[in-house]
Amino acid sequence: EVHLLESGGGLVQPGGSLRLSCAASGFIFSSYAMSWVRQAPGKGLEWVSAITGSGGTTNHADSVKGRFTISRDNSRNTLYLQMNSLRAEDTAVYYCAKVLDTSGGYRPFGHWGQGTLVTVSS
Amino acid sequence: QSVLTQPPSVSGAPGQRVTISCTGSSSNIGAGYDVHWYQQLPGTAPKLLIYDNNNRPSGVPDRFSGSKSGTLASLAISGLQAEDEADYYCQSSDSSLRSRVFGGGTKLTVL
């Protein structure tokens, strides 16, 4: 059974940094592209960042480009999101998501973690 | 302002059929990118409901169906049940943004 467990959320001041982790189990981690998707309080879903199974290619939404970095450690079955220069508008629940299959391209998110809350406030 | 446009809310009585629309443009749905739908029950993570326009993952009842034509996609829910009350999101990809994009979400109320 696929299991995704996020951690690392919390309260941080504007301009601060935070690193989120997502521990994966139940599938061959290195075979699947992964993403981070966030949801601000009472708002909709926003795709944030994506990384291929090998980790060789990454992509970020314009709203976080230059501030956030997605990475993975396939030996530890763990996905990361390094968040720098945080702003109030980055406040959200951050979900780790696994694509449905290995077909390539923009595959849908077949499995989601339970999310971790990041609050940016002074 | 979301790239994909959904109605903020829809409602229906138990047993009825409701549809939720997802309107895109020539750079996303109209460009041929697949549309996927997610269900988010209150206080939980999203769950994949429909993928590649009209396919259901195992375990999703056949009361849920999807369609796509031109720049418009739709999710239909027949035989509405109380447990269907949730937020529903469409998702596709956009060639101009070079990213995945979501609709703003639709809150389904079962009367």
Side-chain angles (χ1 to χ4, degrees):
Chain A
E1 181 189 357
V2 172
H3 194 55
L4 302 170
L5 182 63
E6 301 93 338
S7 61
L11 176 63
V12 60
Q13 292 189 337
S17 298
L18 212 55
R19 188 177 84 155
L20 305 183
S21 299
C22 171
S25 61
F27 63 101
I28 302 174
F29 184 65
S30 60
S31 294
Y32 290 84
M34 301 288 294
S35 276
W36 290 96
V37 177
R38 68 184 180 183
Q39 185 170 35
K43 302 297 184 183
L45 302 172
E46 180 189 15
W47 171 79
V48 174
S49 301
I51 187 168
T52 55
S54 66
T57 301
T58 62
N59 193 17
H60 298 84
D62 287 344
S63 58
V64 306
K65 203 166 288 184
R67 300 187 299 122
F68 289 12
T69 302
I70 188 173
S71 63
R72 64 193 296 161
D73 184 339
N74 286 343
S75 68
R76 296 177 182 271
N77 288 354
T78 303
L79 177 72
Y80 302 101
L81 185 66
Q82 178 67 44
M83 303 186 295
N84 300 329
S85 303
L86 283 161
R87 307 166 180 167
E89 54 264 36
D90 296 319
T91 294
V93 173
Y94 284 73
Y95 294 102
C96 147
K98 165 191 168 290
V99 295
L100 179 65
D101 52 47
T102 59
S103 300
Y106 293 110
R107 298 308 292 146
F109 302 122
H111 297 88
W112 299 65
Q114 89 292 342
T116 186
L117 177 62
V118 172
T119 302
V120 184
S121 175
S122 54
Chain B
Q1 194 85 359
S2 301
V3 173
L4 305 178
T5 301
Q6 297 180 233
S9 64
V10 298
S11 62
Q16 283 189 331
R17 180 179 187 270
V18 298
T19 61
I20 298 173
S21 61
C22 175
T23 304
S25 67
S26 59
S27 63
N28 42 70
I29 299 175
Y33 287 106
D34 290 323
V35 177
H36 320 295
W37 291 89
Y38 301 88
Q39 178 193 58
Q40 186 175 33
L41 296 170
T44 70
K47 166 192 166 186
L48 182 63
L49 197 64
I50 295 288
Y51 68 96
D52 295 349
N53 309 314
N54 55 15
N55 294 283
R56 287 185 308 277
S58 61
V60 174
D62 59 6
R63 302 186 296 105
F64 296 90
S65 62
S67 63
K68 181 188 122 174
S69 178
T71 59
L72 178 67
S74 296
L75 171 70
I77 309 172
S78 60
L80 210 54
Q81 299 180 4
E83 57 259 38
D84 297 334
E85 193 160 282
D87 293 324
Y88 293 84
Y89 294 90
C90 61
Q91 182 245 309
S92 187
S93 304
D94 192 281
S95 58
S96 298
L97 298 172
R98 288 178 293 175
S99 71
R100 292 173 169 90
V101 290
F102 284 95
T106 298
K107 181 176 181 60
L108 169 63
T109 300
V110 180
L111 302 170

